[in-house]
Structure formats: structure tokens, C-alpha cells
Amino acid sequence: MDDAIAACRILVVDDTDFNRTLIGALLTEAGFQNIAYAKDGFDALAQIAAAAPDLLILDIMMPGMDGFEVCRRLRADHAYADLPVLVQTALSSSDDRNRAFAAGTTDLISKPLDRTELVARVRIHLQNRVLIRDLQTYRARVEGELAMARSMYDHLLPSAALCAALTDSAGVTLRSHTALSSDLGGDLWGVLPLAGGRFGLFLLDMAGRGVSAALNAFRMHTLIHELAPQLGERPGAFLTELNERAVCLLELGQHATVIYGVVDGAAERFTYAAAAAAPPVLVPPGNAALVFGEGAGQPVGIAAGARYEEQSLPFPPGSALVLHSTAVLEALGGGRGGFAALLRSAAVQTAMADGDDGGNGSGGGNAFTAVTAALAAAQGDVPLDDHTLVWIGRGGAL
């Protein structure tokens, strides 16, 4: 017998001394090592409250408080909702048996007791109990790891103070929308302040989901910040070197889509390189057509030697630059059509034209709100994948 099953605590409840002794002897002979006894229902409930057993063997017909009432009281307490209760009974009618199950009985065993049946039923219920307990322990550990990863994720995102500083130095308003899936994924974005009021902006999405994807995203975040001082001004060289480092860092089959670019307000340009990332989008003022960038390129981490070409988009005052994960496109029907329709919607265009965002420039407040509200409706309460959207607005008043 498995040690974990043999060590499970069994509480035998019977008002007859002989029956308690007999059951205990049969179980001990079968290898069960942790057996306790209660002489009636009141004693049983007191012992359960002091130390919950893994299995209750309960006589149904007892004076004072019968087994039916013991079951009802246990099932009324959420702490004992899944405690297996094996009722020993001489009741033979279907009505009596149905009454026992209605009260919360897990299983029945008939009197007079049969040793083979008793041991078999006890073993199978304890096997299930141990399995459920192991699954609960595993789930608690995974939830703890997810909570820790989410906390780490929050600390790596740009702070409100950094975003406010960029408003002053670069003349932009930076906003973001993130929606994490229940099992956490590998989306991450950030900014790298550069000289002359410029800044680098990256958005990466690790392949896969869960804690492993999140941890790989954190490792990539570290690499990006290591490369920033030397290559932050040159997006193509930046991604090329990031790929070389990622190939050595990540295990086979792990990779990331990345876009990295430099926002230069004075030059009114966004210069960037992409590694299989969703293309950036420029939302111009007025009714001008949307401008989609390029998102081609090999994901980083697949193979050494890849080269990433620099592209650029205009970024005039009054416009907004939008970076997003591919999950955003998928939430809106796939491809760029649904996203384009959202960005050209009346709510977004009106906000862009009004330039009303509480004094922070480019109409980005209301336009960003309209976009993220539509995304939230499309994603549902629990997204199947992480969603990230970064909105950079330029206002003529800034």
C-alpha cells in the first residue's frame, strides 16, 4: 500500500464498542496506520473540528445524533464539502439509501461488514482523497507562481512617473492597455529614454503561455536594457544583436516577436525594426488615411545570423502612433481590417479632431478610451491570450 494512503487519518464513528474495535482491527490488518474513534455523532463532530480526517466511516443508526444529521452538518460547512463519508448501515430499502445520499453520504457499505468490501472501499476513497489533495497542492503552487509573475510583470512596466517625464521631455502622451490571460503570457513593453528628447519603445511577445513564457519575457527585458546604452539609437542593429543574444539564452523552440523603435518628436519620425511583430499604425489628424508600417522579419531566438532592416513612419503633431500585440488583431476578427475599422470609427476620429484629452494633447484621451473600450468588449472577461496596446499621442499644444 502507498505510504501516503496508509498514513491517511480515518475516523470510525459507531456507538457500539465491538463495532469500533472490529473495524479498527480490519483496517489495521490491511495496513492503515492512522485510525481514530468516536462513540457518537457529537464526539465525531468535535474530533473533526479539532483535526479533520481524510475519511469518515460512519454508523447511520446512533442515539442522540444519527448519521444522517452528522452528514448534514458536515456538508453545511464548506471546509468539509469534499470529505469522503463511508456510511455503514443495515438499511436495505431504496428510500433509506436515497435519504443517506441526500444527506451527503459519499458511499455505503452494508452490515454485517465484509472485510474485503470494507478495505476495498476505504482504499479507493483514500486514493481519490490523496489525488485531490495533491492536485490542490499543485494548483496552489501554480497560482502562487502566477501571482508572483504578475507582480514582477507590473514592476517591469513603465511607471506613471516615467510616462509623465516623457510628456515633458518628448512632447508626447503615452498610454497603454494590457489584458492578461488567466494563465499569464509573455507580452511586455517598455521605454528607453534617449538623448535629445527622444526615447526607444519596445513591445515583445514570447511564444507560449504560463509562468515559463512570463519568465522568458523577463529575461528578454533584461537583455533589452543591457543593449540599450550601446544600440538604443539604432533599431535594426538593436534587434540584430538581441536575436544573437536570445539564440544563446532561450531553449530550442522558444522565441519572441518584437518591435523596437525610436520616437523622435523633433524630426517627426518613428524609426523602427520588427521581428515578426504586428505592424505599427499611424493615426493621422483629420480624415487622412491610416498608415500601416511593416511587421515582417524572423522572430528573435530562432536562429543566429538574422538581420533586421530599419523602417520609418511619419509622426506629425496631432497624430497618434499605435503599437499592439497580434492578439489585438485576433480579438477584432484577425488581420488588420477589424483594427483599421476601429481606428477609423466615428468615436476615435471625433476625439482626434477635437483634440480633447484633458489638456494632455492629441485627443489621445478620448480616442484611446474609445479604442480600449472596444477591445475590452471584444476580449471578454478572461482573454484567451495577453493583449497589449501602446498609444503615443502628439499634441500641437505640447
Side-chain angles (χ1 to χ4, degrees):
M1 181 184 300
D2 185 272
D3 290 344
I5 295 173
C8 286
R9 187 169 187 268
I10 302 171
L11 180 60
V12 179
V13 186
D14 199 301
D15 64 308
T16 304
D17 292 341
F18 175 79
N19 290 342
R20 294 197 301 271
T21 302
L22 174 61
I23 293 171
L26 294 175
L27 294 177
T28 301
E29 182 184 5
F32 298 100
Q33 304 164 1
N34 190 357
I35 305 170
Y37 305 92
K39 64 182 183 298
D40 57 35
F42 296 103
D43 186 17
L45 292 177
Q47 291 196 45
I48 292 170
D54 296 295
L55 174 68
L56 187 64
I57 300 178
L58 178 65
D59 185 19
I60 205 72
M61 303 303 294
M62 296 184 295
M65 182 188 298
D66 61 19
F68 295 117
E69 183 61 21
V70 172
C71 281
R72 280 192 289 267
R73 293 196 184 190
L74 287 175
R75 297 315 188 203
D77 189 331
H78 180 72
Y80 309 116
D82 58 356
L83 172 64
V85 179
L86 178 58
V87 164
Q88 45 164 333
T89 178
L91 301 175
S92 58
S93 73
S94 59
D95 289 343
D96 288 331
R97 289 174 174 266
N98 290 339
R99 181 185 173 198
F101 283 116
T105 295
T106 307
D107 200 358
L108 298 173
I109 185 167
S110 300
K111 290 183 175 180
L113 295 175
D114 177 82
R115 176 191 179 280
T116 302
E117 181 184 11
L118 172 67
V119 171
R121 291 185 185 275
V122 167
R123 181 180 285 114
I124 193 169
H125 287 298
L126 288 180
Q127 286 173 340
N128 291 338
R129 181 72 165 173
V130 169
L131 177 60
I132 291 171
R133 188 168 58 202
D134 289 346
L135 290 174
Q136 289 172 335
T137 300
Y138 174 77
R139 177 178 178 179
R141 179 172 65 82
V142 170
E143 288 178 347
E145 291 175 348
L146 286 173
M148 184 181 299
R150 285 191 176 95
S151 177
M152 293 173 63
Y153 177 91
D154 291 339
H155 282 86
L156 291 180
L157 294 178
S159 66
L162 177 57
C163 292
L166 290 175
T167 298
D168 296 332
S169 64
V172 300
T173 302
L174 187 63
R175 295 180 174 87
S176 68
H177 164 81
T178 58
L180 301 181
S181 64
S182 58
D183 54 359
L184 195 64
D187 277 18
L188 200 61
W189 72 278
V191 295
L192 308 172
L194 302 172
R198 294 168 302 140
F199 65 93
L201 177 66
F202 69 87
L203 192 158
L204 71 88
D205 182 5
M206 287 300 308
R209 297 179 187 174
V211 173
S212 61
L215 291 178
N216 278 329
F218 302 157
R219 297 163 80 187
M220 294 293 291
H221 182 274
T222 301
L223 279 185
I224 287 171
H225 282 267
E226 288 178 355
L227 295 175
Q230 294 79 31
L231 299 174
E233 306 271 359
R234 300 157 53 205
F238 187 99
L239 278 196
T240 298
E241 182 60 24
L242 181 64
N243 177 67
E244 297 301 311
R245 301 278 189 94
V247 168
C248 299
L249 178 70
L250 301 176
E251 296 181 4
L252 184 65
Q254 297 175 342
H255 58 272
T257 63
V258 188
I259 183 169
Y260 174 75
V262 175
V263 177
D264 188 338
E268 300 185 3
R269 304 295 296 178
F270 175 62
T271 304
Y272 68 96
V281 186
L282 180 79
V283 186
N287 292 318
L290 299 174
V291 181
F292 282 85
E294 297 293 331
Q298 177 177 282
V300 300
I302 290 182
R307 294 292 181 266
Y308 299 90
E309 300 297 327
E310 291 185 359
Q311 310 283 339
S312 68
L313 286 176
F315 193 20
S319 63
L321 180 67
V322 184
L323 273 60
H324 57 285
S325 60
T326 55
V328 170
L329 300 180
E330 293 166 0
L332 296 171
R336 65 175 62 174
F339 192 43
L342 172 58
L343 294 176
R344 301 308 299 172
S345 66
V348 173
Q349 289 303 305
T350 299
M352 294 290 293
D354 290 346
D356 176 16
D357 68 350
N360 289 324
S362 82
N366 290 343
F368 173 77
T369 299
V371 170
T372 54
L375 279 180
Q379 291 159 2
D381 294 335
V382 182
L384 296 178
D385 198 357
D386 290 355
H387 294 69
T388 301
L389 182 144
V390 181
W391 178 284
I392 310 101
R394 290 199 65 204
L398 290 174

